[in-house]
Amino acid sequence: MVSSLAYAQGGSQTTTLSGLVADAQRAVIPGADVVVRNNATNAESRAVTDAKGDFVVPGLAPGTYTLTVSLMGFKTFVSPDVKMLAGTPETVKVTLQVGAIEETVLVTGATEIM
């Protein structure tokens, strides 16, 4: 008698984006709105930073996302090319600059990964 065992290989098909939002003096920013938009599907996920300036956006499908962080009294932060891989959580650090929310700081290139 021959027996064969099959082991399930797999893992999560989604991932999590988390991060810290602070100002230029490294003071954490609670209450900031975080929007993560899938560039291919336009599906959005949202979060708000907690008292420590942290946010977590779980359940993201693999792909490229636009990260937008805003709060009254600060310029809006936009990073259009945040790449997410299945089962590989990413962590970013966002620095908001003082200014009007109508002003936008567009980040080109890589977002700082912590």
Side-chain angles (χ1 to χ4, degrees), residues 47-103:
V48 176
T49 57
D50 64 15
K52 296 179 183 177
D54 295 320
F55 70 88
V56 177
V57 181
L60 298 174
T64 302
Y65 288 80
T66 295
L67 170 65
T68 304
V69 181
S70 60
L71 182 66
M72 189 176 299
F74 293 91
K75 296 178 183 179
T76 299
F77 173 94
V78 178
S79 181
D81 295 311
V82 178
K83 298 193 183 350
M84 303 296 296
L85 302 175
T88 306
E90 292 290 340
T91 303
V92 297
K93 182 177 180 188
V94 174
T95 301
L96 292 184
Q97 298 176 12
V98 174
I101 197 167
E102 294 81 22
E103 297 179 83

Side-chain angles (χ1 to χ4, degrees), residues 6-24:
Y7 293 99
Q9 291 184 0
S12 178
Q13 295 302 312
T14 62
T15 190
T16 300
L17 177 66
S18 60
L20 172 70
V21 179
D23 65 15

